[in-house]
Amino acid sequence: AIRGFRETERSRWEPAARAALERAAAAAFPPAQPPQPLVHVLDLHPGGHVGPHVDSVKFCGCTIAGLSLLSAAVLRLRSCHGPCESLELLLEPGSLYVLRGAARYDFTHEILPDHESFFGGCRVPRGRRISLILRNAP
Ligand code: OGA
Ligand code: MN
């Protein structure tokens, strides 16, 4: 589903990054279902994109949280039941988005490619973008 990227997983962070991730974890996850210790780091090329998908229930539990860094991007949610129902979120650098409930299971999510990257009619030029993605266990 992803084009133009590299990725890694990390569990060790310098103190400021650890503090930011802990704040994101506390805000996004139910205390009984915390994120897994390995954080998924996705480095998306300006020309890359994340196609529509629902994260596999084999590898991911009820909550996904993404810390979006470096350049703005548009995340689109599209209903799995009727493709006409969709909405976009503007992910400014430093923003945190949380997918749970219907957004986790009943909508696909995608990061739009540069040529489709508009929010409310305004163009959101895609640059290099790094996301730190927290997921809890199935
Ligand atoms: C994924 C994903 C979105 C993002 O890697 O499964 O949906 O914010 N990434 O990078
Ligand atoms: Mn995903």
Side-chain angles (χ1 to χ4, degrees):
I2 313 185
R3 290 290 157 82
F5 71 105
R6 43 187 202 157
E7 65 186 341
T8 185
E9 291 185 316
R10 290 289 150 96
S11 60
R12 287 160 46 86
W13 300 92
E14 52 111 345
R18 169 174 297 279
L21 288 166
E22 279 172 3
R23 231 160 32 105
F29 289 82
Q33 291 148 287
Q36 296 174 286
L38 275 181
V39 178
H40 179 196
V41 181
L42 185 68
D43 183 355
L44 197 60
H45 187 270
H49 71 275
V50 179
H53 67 281
V54 175
D55 282 34
S56 169
V57 296
K58 283 187 198 146
F59 303 111
C60 175
C62 66
T63 304
I64 302 166
L67 192 53
S68 201
L69 302 172
L70 293 189
S71 78
V74 178
L75 181 137
R76 176 185 285 151
L77 299 174
R78 257 201 277 216
S79 171
C80 302
H81 310 300
C84 298
E85 197 182 337
S86 75
L87 66 125
E88 275 106 43
L89 309 181
L90 176 62
L91 302 180
E92 301 203 77
S95 63
L96 176 75
Y97 68 85
V98 182
L99 302 179
R100 63 183 167 220
R104 160 75 178 99
Y105 294 111
D106 300 329
F107 286 73
T108 60
H109 56 275
E110 61 195 289
I111 299 289
L112 300 181
D114 186 62
H115 68 275
E116 286 179 38
S117 190
F118 289 86
F119 182 76
C122 289
R123 180 150 163 70
V124 180
R126 283 281 323 282
R128 180 186 180 194
R129 171 177 178 271
I130 290 181
S131 50
L132 308 184
I133 305 166
L134 303 171
R135 297 180 177 89
N136 57 8

